[in-house]
Amino acid sequence: MSFTANWHTLLEELDDLPESATLITPLSHQRFRITDVQDARVIIQFEDNDETRPLQRDQFGTLYRRIEDASGGFNLDRFPPDADPYPAVWSVHPQFEVDEDAGVITQSEVATATQVMGVEQGPTDEDRTEPDGLAVYSDALLLIDALERHDVTTLAELETDALVNLYTLLSDVQRDANDFRKEIADVLLARLHHDRPVSGQYGSVQRTSRRNRSLKDDAEVLECLENAGIDRERVLSVDRSKVDEALEVTTLSESDVYELEESEYVRKAEVDEDVKESRLQGLKDRLAASEDDEANQLRAEIEELEQRIDDLTSFRTGAEMEG
């Protein structure tokens, strides 16, 4: 199909968009709307600063030819910053798709999922909002997205960068979840009794106790044991901290007094929070707008995650549970 035929198909798709439909640029994630569709150009308006900009047909033609000539799609990184809206608009065409993960825009012989990012609606009582300041929510959302995009049943076949991303996100979720779990435990502790487990949808919790021991002063312990007929030699042992102090003032090496065994492991070195935030915002915007089966499934999983968080952070008495 020629550019002219594809161009008119695109214009028809743009004409059919509701006025509140929102698109998002793939690189800078700027939100904009289509305000006018003409044969020679498309007029857009950015939401953050109300800037209006014409997108010329000739530029769409240039992009079309580059997509056709590129093997595996045209690289989004080759776009200048002010050209970021063009691939977003092209993606409204049923046979053009922006793949942010691969960083390309491609053309397909068959219809692809709609790339319209959102339709603005008035707020309702049922609108869901992200828990403010809850790190585990954002990291869990990114982890769910990564798990959806990779076949984790065959880890050995994944690229190294995919494994690094998964490991980093799992580490962050584990840390965030453990911190949040401790905060919840502190609140629950005041509400639970030793003989009354409280159940929720996913399990139950019960107050319990743990005994920690620490020895009294050495002289007091030794005197107490000797008075009970226990020879002090039976309870004296090597103190590791004192051994380390001794090593510092002698010519002995670690291997002289320690059995040494080295093991290798993976440790998270750093986290690029800017990249995570950018990816997270793009994911939220796509989920808020898309109505395809995959997005609906992921949205349902996110809602289930929110429900779990809500269940854990709310408290119901035993009487309410039974009623």
Side-chain angles (χ1 to χ4, degrees):
M1 188 181 295
S2 67
F3 164 71
T4 299
N6 277 294
W7 173 247
H8 287 296
T9 298
L10 175 62
L11 296 185
E12 291 172 1
E13 295 290 333
L14 294 175
D15 278 331
D16 290 339
L17 289 178
E19 292 184 2
S20 58
T22 301
L23 285 81
I24 298 182
T25 59
L27 298 178
S28 59
H29 294 120
Q30 289 182 285
R31 301 171 67 91
F32 66 92
R33 296 179 181 179
I34 307 296
T35 60
D36 193 15
V37 177
Q38 305 171 11
D39 186 66
R41 61 183 184 172
V42 174
I43 310 299
I44 67 172
Q45 183 176 34
F46 290 95
E47 291 189 352
D48 57 353
N49 56 15
D50 293 330
E51 174 193 355
T52 299
R53 182 188 304 177
L55 304 181
Q56 304 297 334
R57 170 175 172 160
D58 290 345
Q59 296 298 323
F60 281 103
T62 300
L63 175 56
Y64 173 81
R65 289 186 290 274
R66 290 182 177 178
I67 295 172
E68 277 203 320
D69 293 341
S71 175
F74 184 72
N75 197 320
L76 296 174
D77 289 336
R78 297 177 62 182
F79 284 98
D82 58 351
D84 206 7
Y86 282 90
V89 175
W90 255 130
S91 68
V92 178
H93 189 292
Q95 291 180 299
F96 286 79
E97 184 174 19
V98 171
D99 185 343
E100 286 195 50
D101 295 331
V104 296
I105 178 171
T106 58
Q107 182 181 15
S108 172
E109 294 298 325
V110 297
T112 63
T114 178
Q115 297 293 303
V116 179
M117 297 303 182
V119 177
E120 295 296 320
Q121 298 176 341
T124 67
D125 293 337
E126 296 181 358
D127 284 348
R128 309 187 73 90
T129 57
E130 177 182 352
D132 186 29
L134 192 59
V136 69
Y137 180 94
S138 298
D139 285 332
L141 183 58
L142 288 170
L143 177 59
I144 291 171
D145 175 54
L147 292 174
E148 289 283 344
R149 290 185 289 107
H150 300 294
D151 182 5
V152 294
T153 61
T154 53
L155 292 178
E157 297 180 8
L158 290 183
E159 297 293 335
T160 300
D161 60 340
L163 292 172
V164 171
N165 288 338
L166 287 169
Y167 185 90
T168 301
L169 290 172
L170 285 166
S171 177
D172 288 345
V173 169
Q174 180 185 41
R175 179 201 62 210
D176 298 336
N178 194 49
D179 290 343
F180 189 45
R181 182 179 65 87
K182 290 178 181 178
E183 293 179 17
I184 295 171
D186 290 340
V187 177
L188 282 174
L189 193 60
R191 304 181 181 182
L192 301 177
H193 303 281
H194 287 284
D195 58 344
R196 297 187 61 187
V198 176
S199 298
Q201 181 180 0
Y202 302 104
S204 61
V205 294
Q206 183 175 10
R207 185 186 183 113
T208 187
S209 61
R210 181 187 297 112
R211 187 176 65 166
N212 296 318
R213 301 189 307 168
S214 59
L215 285 172
K216 298 181 179 180
D217 180 76
D218 290 355
E220 183 178 353
V221 172
L222 291 174
E223 181 181 358
C224 182
L225 292 175
E226 286 180 339
N227 291 337
I230 303 297
D231 189 348
R232 67 166 54 199
E233 298 297 330
R234 293 181 56 184
V235 297
L236 291 178
S237 61
V238 177
D239 187 323
R240 178 169 177 166
S241 62
K242 293 182 178 179
V243 170
D244 289 340
E245 292 176 0
L247 288 178
E248 295 179 359
V249 296
T250 66
T251 59
L252 294 174
S253 66
E254 251 188 331
S255 59
D256 290 328
V257 293
Y258 283 108
E259 293 289 346
L260 302 178
E261 180 180 353
E262 290 189 4
S263 60
E264 296 182 347
Y265 63 98
V266 174
R267 181 178 66 87
K268 183 178 65 177
E270 61 180 347
V271 177
D272 194 324
E273 296 293 347
D274 291 337
V275 171
K276 284 175 58 178
E277 182 61 30
S278 176
R279 176 64 184 169
L280 179 64
Q281 188 57 52
L283 177 62
K284 290 178 183 176
D285 291 332
R286 291 203 307 275
L287 286 175
S290 179
E291 293 297 335
D292 60 29
D293 292 339
E294 183 177 353
N296 288 333
Q297 181 181 358
L298 183 53
R299 189 182 297 112
E301 293 175 357
I302 295 170
E303 290 176 355
E304 181 180 352
L305 172 63
E306 290 177 330
Q307 184 59 51
R308 291 181 185 177
I309 294 174
D310 182 64
D311 289 340
L312 290 173
T313 53
S314 62
F315 175 75
R316 289 180 289 172
T317 63
E320 290 176 326
M321 289 290 184
E322 298 171 356

